[in-house]
Amino acid sequence: MKSSILVHRYTKAFFELAMQNDVVDKALDDLLLINVTLKENKELDTLIHQPFVSKNHKTNIVTKIFKDRVDDITLNLVNLLIEKNRDEIITDIYDEYYDLYLDYKKIAVVTVTSAVDLDEQTTKRIVDVLKHKIVEKDTIQIKNVIDKNIIGGFKVSYEDYEYDASVVSTLKRLHSVFEENLFVKGF
């Protein structure tokens, strides 16, 4: 719990600083780069999280790696986290920042699960329905998840809303209806 509160506080302050400096998009890209770099380089990730490695050594390494690749405010954030012994939340900040970014840009990410990849026309129809019925954002991004187990149809998930129009779900509902069928043979 403590970690998530820290992540939220640091991220919110960093986001406000990025807005003031008009680098909201660049900061998102920077955090993604740092996140991917740490996840792909286990040695670097391990080194950053080692308590016996000095803070000065950690900040020197991070500065050498990212100095010409990220904005100064992003580099300052990472160095501040290292200085305050908060290096364990460096990779968590990207997810929180991404959520703030989507809200700031009024973008809704809707997950559509289907048995096959959605074509452009179907995606556009789903977006049109969502804009008018559910989502109150300027832009809707569809995240298409392929799940062959739903047989056909689709499922739409956005925040706490879920609409299930899959074939497997329809078959389950029909099965339960037929199990409770009061039809008696012979009448």
Side-chain angles (χ1 to χ4, degrees):
M1 186 69 172
K2 179 182 175 188
S3 179
S4 65
I5 292 171
L6 283 173
V7 170
H8 181 71
R9 286 182 180 166
Y10 276 101
T11 306
K12 187 174 178 190
F14 178 67
F15 190 83
E16 289 172 3
L17 183 63
M19 282 178 23
Q20 289 172 1
N21 291 312
D22 199 29
V23 291
V24 174
D25 295 330
K26 175 74 171 116
L28 179 69
D29 295 338
D30 292 349
L31 289 173
L32 178 62
L33 174 69
I34 291 168
N35 209 17
V36 168
T37 303
L38 289 176
K39 285 184 179 179
E40 288 180 354
N41 297 298
K42 292 298 177 193
E43 296 86 11
L44 178 62
D45 189 48
T46 303
L47 180 87
I48 298 261
H49 293 76
Q50 289 300 324
F52 59 84
V53 177
S54 73
K55 295 174 190 177
N56 192 31
H57 187 64
K58 290 178 187 180
T59 55
N60 286 339
I61 289 172
V62 167
T63 302
K64 285 180 184 176
I65 293 172
F66 296 111
K67 185 173 181 10
D68 297 327
R69 300 173 72 193
V70 299
D71 198 86
D72 288 341
I73 65 167
T74 309
L75 188 59
N76 290 340
L77 169 71
V78 175
N79 287 334
L80 176 69
L81 292 171
I82 290 170
E83 185 65 34
K84 298 288 185 183
N85 291 322
R86 307 277 190 233
D87 46 66
E88 75 276 358
I89 67 170
I90 291 173
T91 53
D92 298 331
I93 287 186
Y94 171 75
D95 295 329
E96 185 84 19
Y97 187 92
Y98 185 67
D99 291 340
L100 289 172
Y101 176 84
L102 291 175
D103 194 46
Y104 174 74
K105 294 285 189 170
K106 297 183 180 172
I107 299 171
V109 178
V110 178
T111 304
V112 178
T113 306
S114 60
V116 295
D117 199 18
L118 297 176
D119 62 5
E120 217 174 291
Q121 183 182 5
T122 306
T123 303
K124 185 179 179 336
R125 288 177 57 201
I126 291 172
V127 167
D128 288 343
V129 169
L130 290 172
K131 269 190 177 178
H132 298 336
K133 302 266 184 192
I134 304 161
V135 182
E136 297 176 0
K137 303 278 184 171
D138 293 343
T139 307
I140 298 176
Q141 289 180 353
I142 299 290
K143 178 182 172 187
N144 189 208
V145 177
I146 310 274
D147 182 4
K148 302 278 185 197
N149 294 328
I150 69 168
I151 303 171
F154 60 91
K155 293 180 185 178
V156 175
S157 300
Y158 172 68
E159 292 180 349
D160 61 346
Y161 175 82
E162 187 162 319
Y163 177 74
D164 190 348
S166 65
V167 171
V168 74
S169 156
T170 304
L171 289 174
K172 285 179 182 176
R173 281 192 302 268
L174 285 172
H175 186 292
S176 68
V177 167
F178 286 135
E179 279 184 345
E180 297 174 12
N181 190 354
L182 299 176
F183 176 74
V184 179
K185 290 184 180 179
F187 286 105

